[in-house]
Amino acid sequence: MNPVAAIGSVFLDFLAACGRLGLFAAVSVGQMARPPYYPRLILRQVIEIGYFSLPVVGLTAIFSGMVLALQSFTGFARFEAESAIATVVVLSMTRELGPVLAGLMVAGRVGAAMAAEIGTMRVTEQIDALVTLATDPFRYLVAPRLIAGTLMLPCLVLTADIIGVFGGYMVSVHKLGFGPDTYLKNTFEHLEAMDVISGLVKAAAFGFLIALMGCYHGYHSKGGAQGVGAATTNAVVSASILILTSNYLITEAFFAR
Amino acid sequence: MTAGAATGRVRIAIRGLRVAFGPKVVLDGLDLDLHDGESLVVIGGSGTGKSVLLKCILGLLRPDAGTIVVDGEDTTRMGSRARDALLRKFGMLFQSAALFDSLAVWENVAFPLTHVGGVARDKVRDVATRKLADVGLAPEVGLLSPAELSGGMKKRVGLARAIAAEPEIIFFDEPTTGLDPIMADVINDLIVDCTRRLGATTLSITHDMASVRKIATRIAMLHGGRIIWSGPVGAIDTSGNAYVDQFIHGRAEGPIQMAVATP
Ligand SMILES: Nc1ncnc2c1ncn2[C@@H]1O[C@H](COP(=O)(O)OP(=O)(O)OP(=O)(O)O)[C@@H](O)[C@H]1O
Ligand SMILES: [Mg+2]
């Protein structure tokens, strides 16, 4: 095969996939607005995403906060700027690490589970059965997950921010010998509302993307157990890539202001 | 074609239906009518596209050509809202039962009641239990999850779900495959009972000749993407059609060549 044609066909496949995904997202959002709503299903997803992700996200956050304090101490001690540690920890957590790490952990946990569940429903004809029972799969399966993902990730990230700052505090106070009051004062001195808000906006976007990728790959999976496995992998990988890409774009949008 | 026994008005009229997956043509200009009140059974070899035919009628698959007219409305060019309304007339028992495994058995049966039938929430559980009893399942079974059921029980729950909202037209995709002969007969009886009680029109698919003779009022044979013979159940043994004869007697030799390597 002509190499140019090979590159072209890959590119066309990519465009087609983007189109399918865009259409899927548009239909999902369109159906989210329309009744019937399924409050019980939304609640179930809220618990699944928000509550059951807490241990994973909390552990990630506390160790990130702790390691941040240690690392910045090593660096900043070289030019006697140790007092900046509290600021570094709180800014990194709220602006970057909180949303990105929580997003990646939730993508691995929840995105994979969504793809596997919906994918299994697809290959065992449960989605066909839903349709024949006059129930729209977008409203019944996709919308509750998108809503729960978009709402719960900011809550998780807020928790992660607090736990991360606490981790930094513990290390600074108990290991590096900072005074507790000074550390807390330093933490809040340079923190602006925008730092936290930009992190939460990111979190909402990531939550939407994770749920969208889980549902999209699950919904389009085919070919039995192997297809569901592939859908799960694709959901996690594509959600992670989209998280990192959109993280840059959102950061830039906030940075420009 | 032999004239069918049914005389009721036409509920579903399929004309020139064509479905292909890539180069593989599965249905090729299929014509079929389903009359009010009849019990039509479509027979045909494995992989001839019987399940595909049902999926096209339900709108789960989009045909490449042809029309499917249900009660005067062409389903192939129908909006999603009109389709939802139309689907409320249908019940379907899937070949694999397709029970929702995130819901308990009784919730599966209750699903069409709440989503289609509009039964009030506090009554749903009782109604669902009654529907389970109709297919011979004890109330305790309702509390299990679908994963805990045997194949025959799944089929029965699928049957209960398919008929729970008392649809006018019911599709059964291989209701008895994979069951022992006694359970198969029980299911056949249930199908005959339930549909007679509801006065429903049914379209069933099966390979099982005992089942065909029990539930059919009319039989159609699918081969090579078309209906090659159709007639009342009584005419099946004297069809004079070599394909039908080979099928009902299950002979390897005959005009239907199975794609298997011969030594
Ligand atoms: N989604 C699909 N993609 C590709 N090919 C398909 C698809 N669905 C069905 N087919 C093909 O269409 C043909 C008919 O399939 P169908 O499931 O209708 O068979 P069937 O007549 O119901 O057989 P059986 O009696 O074994 O259930 C098969 O050869 C199958 O390979
Ligand atoms: Mg089939």
Side-chain angles (χ1 to χ4, degrees), chain B residues 21 24 26 45-52 95 174 207:
Chain B
F21 296 103
K24 180 174 177 178
V26 177
S46 198
T48 46
K50 304 181 300 296
S51 298
V52 167
Q95 193 166 348
E174 308 203 7
H207 305 281

Side-chain angles (χ1 to χ4, degrees), chain A residues 89-255:
Chain A
V89 169
V90 73
L91 288 193
S92 325
M93 279 315 294
T94 53
R95 296 178 68 107
E96 274 305 317
L97 293 181
V100 171
L101 290 179
L104 293 177
M105 296 315 281
V106 175
R109 216 188 77 80
V110 176
M114 285 182 185
E117 186 178 353
I118 298 183
T120 306
M121 291 187 74
R122 163 62 74 199
V123 300
T124 56
E125 299 183 314
Q126 291 179 51
I127 293 187
D128 288 344
L130 261 188
V131 174
T132 62
L133 293 168
T135 302
D136 188 309
F138 281 90
R139 251 171 269 167
Y140 188 82
L141 293 176
V142 179
R145 287 170 170 78
L146 289 180
I147 294 171
T150 314
L151 292 181
M152 289 325 286
L153 253 244
C155 301
L156 278 174
V157 166
L158 199 60
T159 319
D161 290 350
I162 295 167
I163 295 178
V165 168
F166 175 71
Y169 169 90
M170 294 291 282
V171 167
S172 306
V173 171
H174 293 295
K175 195 170 167 64
L176 306 175
F178 281 82
D181 299 336
T182 342
Y183 187 88
L184 282 183
K185 188 175 131 291
N186 286 348
T187 296
F188 293 109
E189 196 170 2
H190 296 290
L191 182 68
E192 290 171 18
M194 215 28 147
D195 298 326
V196 179
I197 292 172
S198 73
L200 297 185
V201 169
K202 282 180 181 180
F206 298 166
F208 180 81
L209 289 173
I210 292 166
L212 184 70
M213 286 298 117
C215 295
Y216 172 80
H217 288 287
Y219 192 82
H220 288 289
S221 65
K222 44 177 162 292
Q226 199 185 1
V228 176
T232 311
T233 312
N234 288 338
V236 176
V237 171
S238 59
S240 306
I241 291 174
L242 281 177
I243 285 174
L244 296 173
T245 323
S246 63
N247 179 44
Y248 179 78
L249 296 176
I250 300 173
T251 307
E252 201 183 70
F254 273 99
F255 187 76

Side-chain angles (χ1 to χ4, degrees), chain B residues 8 87 94 97 112 123 143-144 174 184 201 217 228 233 238 242 255-256:
Chain B
L87 283 169
F94 282 83
K123 297 216 192 81
L143 303 175
L144 300 177
E174 308 203 7
T201 307
T217 59
I228 54 163
V233 62
T238 53
I256 306 174

